Amino acid sequence: MIHNHSRKAGSLTLILIKHSALNVMKIRKQRNQQVETPLLGLLPILLTWILIPLYLYLQPVILYHHLIPFTFYVGLINAYSVGQMITAHLVKADFPYGNALVVPLAYGLFDSLGPAIGAWPSALGDGVYQVAFVFLCLGLGIGVYGSFVVSCSNFQAGFNLSRR
């Protein structure tokens, strides 16, 4: 049941990304601007969404028993990415291609990949340490995203005070 919903949600997400990219390409061509540059902004998101199902595939204990904290962690990854993009757009900064919250997920996948291919033993194993790792990632996500929100709020408050 969960796999069927995941396939439908994943298919819908890919369709929406495709149409968004085609829309951006069309507008950039009309403006005689480079088409490929904004599409590079999709790479971090695509990388993240490749890592997520791979990690869940390699760690079924997380998929079947601890999906809620993992889902919150993934939500924080996405919220932080979107917040960085919006902030960069507002202050006319460069596009943010990195997200610090993806790094632990990449390490978790790397750790889980070793036993799957028979190359090295997992440092976290398959049981309680993987669960602890997911909760560590969730805590890290809350801390990083929380500090981002506070810094944006403080910046906005300081900006409003200086305009009086």
Side-chain angles (χ1 to χ4, degrees):
M1 180 83 166
I2 192 170
H3 298 295
N4 192 27
H5 291 301
S6 297
R7 274 186 240 135
K8 288 179 183 177
S11 298
L12 180 63
T13 302
L14 290 175
I15 290 169
L16 292 173
I17 289 172
K18 175 187 167 195
H19 286 287
S20 296
L22 291 173
N23 189 34
V24 167
M25 290 169 58
K26 178 181 159 188
I27 291 172
R28 297 282 292 195
K29 281 181 184 177
Q30 288 174 352
R31 295 179 182 170
N32 291 326
Q33 295 175 329
Q34 194 174 21
V35 175
E36 296 82 17
T37 305
L39 296 179
L40 290 176
L42 293 174
L43 290 178
I45 296 167
L46 291 175
L47 173 68
T48 301
W49 281 99
I50 289 170
L51 294 177
I52 291 167
L54 284 176
Y55 177 74
L56 289 175
Y57 176 77
L58 293 172
Q59 293 300 329
V61 68
I62 303 301
L63 177 63
Y64 293 112
H65 301 291
H66 301 283
L67 191 59
I68 291 174
F70 186 77
T71 303
F72 284 144
Y73 169 59
V74 169
L76 288 169
I77 290 174
N78 291 328
Y80 187 55
S81 292
V82 170
Q84 284 183 312
M85 289 178 214
I86 291 170
T87 304
H89 179 72
L90 290 174
V91 299
K92 301 202 184 322
D94 291 336
F95 188 85
Y97 288 101
N99 183 341
L101 295 179
V102 177
V103 175
L105 181 61
Y107 284 133
L109 177 65
F110 182 75
D111 181 66
S112 300
L113 195 60
I117 62 173
W120 60 85
S122 171
L124 297 172
D126 289 330
V128 294
Y129 294 115
Q130 281 294 337
V131 175
F133 174 73
V134 167
F135 280 97
L136 174 99
C137 290
L138 177 60
L140 178 71
I142 290 169
V144 170
Y145 185 68
S147 69
F148 171 74
V149 168
V150 167
S151 68
C152 287
S153 299
N154 287 341
F155 176 77
Q156 182 64 30
F159 182 73
N160 285 340
L161 290 175
S162 66
R163 294 184 77 185
R164 290 184 182 175

